[in-house]
Amino acid sequence: MKIDMSREAVTIRLAQVAKLRRACLELAKSNKSNEIRTNRPANKTVQRSSLALGR
């Protein structure tokens, strides 16, 4: 299977990645994520996410 590396295809993929990144950061700022961080501070995944986000 060949990956389309044309200029247009790469531009579309970069735009999609930027949208996904923004969505993930917005979810990380949400009230639910704050609640999870508060209720489950010993969870390794929560710790890793908090560290990556600088919290």
Side-chain angles (χ1 to χ4, degrees):
M1 182 167 116
K2 279 189 132 182
I3 297 174
D4 186 2
M5 294 300 290
S6 67
R7 179 179 290 237
E8 296 83 16
V10 171
T11 301
I12 290 170
R13 286 196 297 271
L14 286 173
Q16 289 173 335
V17 168
K19 287 179 184 178
L20 180 60
R21 179 181 174 276
R22 279 194 301 270
C24 289
L25 290 173
E26 287 301 317
L27 284 172
K29 289 188 230 175
S30 71
N31 291 337
K32 191 64 176 175
S33 78
N34 290 334
E35 180 183 322
I36 291 169
R37 243 189 340 268
T38 303
N39 293 340
R40 294 173 173 60
N43 185 303
K44 295 290 183 190
T45 304
V46 173
Q47 290 174 356
R48 206 170 38 246
S49 298
S50 294
L51 181 64
L53 293 168
R55 297 184 179 167

